[in-house]
Amino acid sequence: MKEFVKKYKLIIIGVVLVSAVLLFAFLCGGSVEEAKKAVSAQNALEVSDVSDNNQTNETYFNSEVSTDSTVSVTKSSDETGTKPLTDSTAPSIVATAQTTAPTQKPISYGKPESEIKTTEPAAKVHEPSSEPTKPAETKPFKAVKKRCTILISCATLLNNMDKLDEDDRELVPSDGWILKKKTVTIKNGDTVFDILKRVCKNNDIHMEYTITPVYNSAYIEGIGNIFEFSAGANSGWMYRVNGKFPNYGCSRYDVKSGDIIEWMYTCNLGYDIGGGNVSYKD
């Protein structure tokens, strides 16, 4: 009994208050309708108190309380001579509070499931290999080589064989070429004289020359055992570069890449090879 009173203390207090209000209203000459309004207002207050109590304590009324427990407000029949007054609203509210448990949404933390995004695993990082990496192979820089072309001809002697001694005739090639066109590499500072001397040495070709120290100039006397004056007083060796006869010594002409150097034997001071107006200067 004590537990029942303790559990429904608020309801019992409410019933007592309602009864007191009705009795006061009746004694003051109030009508039954005013009494009902007062009862309804009090019942609404009770429902609010019950709801607040349920949310705070998070407990529900169990089914041990019988739905037959009704609250009725009556006036004494002896005093009024009328039928007992019953408020049908109060028991229905009590029954609803006893049998209906409030629904409570489960507590969730963070974003709702619909907003939770799945993340892809991070890309795998390749760990450095324990083997030492080989440095990138770099090709050695190759400087572009400068080249020139050189040739040696005594073709003019083919038409002047009678001017040669019998021993020298055997030295003239049948086609007039002592050295056919040959491409060679140019070194820094090379002159026409340097190119001729190197080519003759590398190809076992005879060569004779004299150098005048005062002018630091070289003069070519013989190539392939064919000398100046071998075919007369106006014969000897001349050179031209890119089709032109320079008027200075071969040791003073610096060779450029792509130059074409021609050494030719003349029997008439250069007129028979296109260089008759050239007079060499040291």
Side-chain angles (χ1 to χ4, degrees), residues 115-153:
E115 297 183 8
I116 296 176
K117 297 180 180 179
T118 58
T119 57
E120 296 293 334
K124 185 177 180 181
V125 179
H126 295 284
E127 296 181 356
S129 175
S130 58
E131 297 181 357
T133 56
K134 296 181 179 180
E137 295 182 359
T138 56
K139 295 181 179 180
F141 175 76
K142 293 182 179 180
V144 178
K145 294 182 178 181
K146 297 179 180 180
R147 298 178 184 275
C148 68
T149 302
I150 185 172
L151 53 88
I152 304 172
S153 171

Side-chain angles (χ1 to χ4, degrees), residues 41-208:
Q42 185 63 34
N43 287 337
L45 180 60
E46 292 174 4
V47 171
S48 176
D49 293 340
V50 171
S51 177
D52 293 340
N53 188 39
N54 287 337
Q55 293 180 1
T56 305
N57 299 325
E58 297 183 356
T59 58
Y60 310 108
F61 294 110
N62 55 34
S63 60
E64 292 180 358
V65 180
S66 174
T67 57
D68 294 333
S69 300
T70 59
V71 179
S72 63
V73 181
T74 60
K75 289 186 179 180
S76 174
S77 58
D78 294 339
E79 296 177 354
T80 61
T82 62
K83 294 181 180 181
L85 178 62
T86 304
D87 187 358
S88 60
T89 304
S92 63
I93 293 174
V94 175
T96 302
Q98 292 175 354
T99 58
T100 305
T103 58
Q104 183 178 3
K105 294 182 179 180
I107 299 174
S108 62
Y109 301 94
K111 294 183 178 180
E113 293 183 359
S114 62
E115 297 183 8
I116 296 176
K117 297 180 180 179
T118 58
T119 57
E120 296 293 334
K124 185 177 180 181
V125 179
H126 295 284
E127 296 181 356
S129 175
S130 58
E131 297 181 357
T133 56
K134 296 181 179 180
E137 295 182 359
T138 56
K139 295 181 179 180
F141 175 76
K142 293 182 179 180
V144 178
K145 294 182 178 181
K146 297 179 180 180
R147 298 178 184 275
C148 68
T149 302
I150 185 172
L151 53 88
I152 304 172
S153 171
C154 62
T156 55
L157 289 175
L158 296 177
N159 297 325
N160 294 282
M161 296 293 286
D162 57 334
K163 296 180 179 180
L164 294 173
D165 295 337
E166 292 184 1
D167 295 337
D168 292 338
R169 294 174 186 176
E170 297 178 357
L171 301 174
V172 179
S174 60
D175 58 358
W177 289 105
I178 296 176
L179 178 69
K180 292 183 178 182
K181 185 182 295 186
K182 190 175 185 64
T183 300
V184 296
T185 302
I186 302 172
K187 296 180 180 180
N188 291 334
D190 272 350
T191 63
V192 171
F193 172 72
D194 296 325
I195 296 296
L196 176 63
K197 186 168 64 172
R198 190 183 308 144
V199 166
C200 288
K201 180 179 180 181
N202 293 338
N203 291 274
D204 295 328
I205 299 174
H206 163 266
M207 174 186 173
E208 286 189 21

Side-chain angles (χ1 to χ4, degrees), residues 252-270:
R252 296 174 58 189
Y253 192 104
D254 295 326
V255 181
K256 298 178 180 63
S257 181
D259 284 349
I260 299 176
I261 304 169
E262 299 174 87
W263 283 94
M264 295 177 288
Y265 193 84
T266 178
C267 296
N268 189 20
L269 298 176

